[in-house]
Amino acid sequence: EMSQTLLMLYSFSICWLFLSIYFIELADSESVFIFNASYNIDTTTSLSHANDRQTGTIPTQIGKLTLLTRLDLLSNQLSGTIPSQMGILTRLTHIYLNDNLLNGTIPRQIGKLSLLKNLGLSENRFEGDIPSEIAQLGQLEEFSVKYSNITLANNKYSLSICSLLTNCSLSGILSSQCPKCYNPTSSSSSSTQSQTQS
């Protein structure tokens, strides 16, 4: 009986030790609560809530998810502005905020996301100019802002922005300023390019 008791105590001690280690690690691992879901800041690399009927604003806590490489919030009813904390997420390669109710200007902090390849902002309510910092995104391949009130009328850097892009969806706003970036598949683009060349 003594040996069995000692064995049970030993087993209990081992179990308690592993449970203690588990809860200590759990306490040290911080999580953030975004869109009714918990995300571990040490492991989360993708946040996707596309077509998820989300409302409200993009929470500033998103800036804590510094390992994010992909942010997909398209086709919701999100409003407000893009939080400046987005500029902290320097590992992002894909941002999809299309088809929401976002407004304000495009934050200049996005220019810090040097790994960004896709930036989808179309079908929102953005206003103002595209910030010149966008031209710093040397990896950018697709940049969509169509059906927003974006303009390049006051920008002197539109050509440098367009030279970075291989696929633009700017809904004609560059038709007279940056024909290289205008949709080459549209007939209006062809006429615009020929007018510019002449």
Side-chain angles (χ1 to χ4, degrees), residues 85-147:
Q85 287 81 358
M86 197 83 77
I88 302 173
L89 309 179
T90 55
R91 298 193 183 192
L92 277 172
T93 58
H94 298 77
I95 296 177
Y96 300 107
L97 303 178
N98 315 61
D99 191 17
N100 278 285
L101 304 173
L102 298 170
N103 55 41
T105 58
I106 300 174
R108 298 184 179 277
Q109 288 83 353
I110 286 182
K112 299 178 181 180
L113 308 181
S114 59
L115 301 180
L116 200 61
K117 294 181 179 180
N118 296 82
L119 178 57
L121 304 177
S122 62
E123 299 183 71
N124 280 286
R125 299 176 178 177
F126 295 115
E127 297 179 344
D129 293 334
I130 295 176
S132 58
E133 286 78 2
I134 295 292
Q136 301 172 14
L137 302 177
Q139 303 293 321
L140 196 62
E141 297 174 356
E142 183 175 356
F143 179 33
S144 173
V145 291
K146 64 181 180 180
Y147 306 125

Side-chain angles (χ1 to χ4, degrees), residues 151-155 158-159 162 172-181 192 196:
T151 176
L152 288 183
N154 300 319
N155 292 3
S158 55
L159 286 173
C162 293
I173 61 174
L174 299 180
S175 58
S176 62
Q177 302 161 14
C178 193
K180 292 181 181 179
C181 191
T192 302
T196 304

Side-chain angles (χ1 to χ4, degrees), residues 25-43:
E25 290 180 347
L26 192 64
D28 290 339
S29 182
E30 183 181 354
S31 296
V32 292
F33 199 69
I34 297 175
F35 299 125
N36 301 318
S38 179
Y39 293 92
N40 189 302
I41 65 173
D42 296 322
T43 59

Side-chain angles (χ1 to χ4, degrees), residues 62-96:
I62 199 170
K64 294 184 177 182
L65 300 177
T66 55
L67 299 183
L68 271 188
T69 60
R70 182 184 181 92
L71 176 62
D72 188 353
L73 301 177
L74 63 83
S75 297
N76 284 288
Q77 294 183 333
L78 297 173
S79 57
T81 60
I82 298 177
S84 59
Q85 287 81 358
M86 197 83 77
I88 302 173
L89 309 179
T90 55
R91 298 193 183 192
L92 277 172
T93 58
H94 298 77
I95 296 177
Y96 300 107

Side-chain angles (χ1 to χ4, degrees), residues 3-4 14 31 41 59 81 123 128 164 169 189-190:
S3 60
Q4 290 181 346
I14 294 297
S31 296
I41 65 173
T81 60
E123 299 183 71
L164 298 173
S169 300
S189 172
S190 300

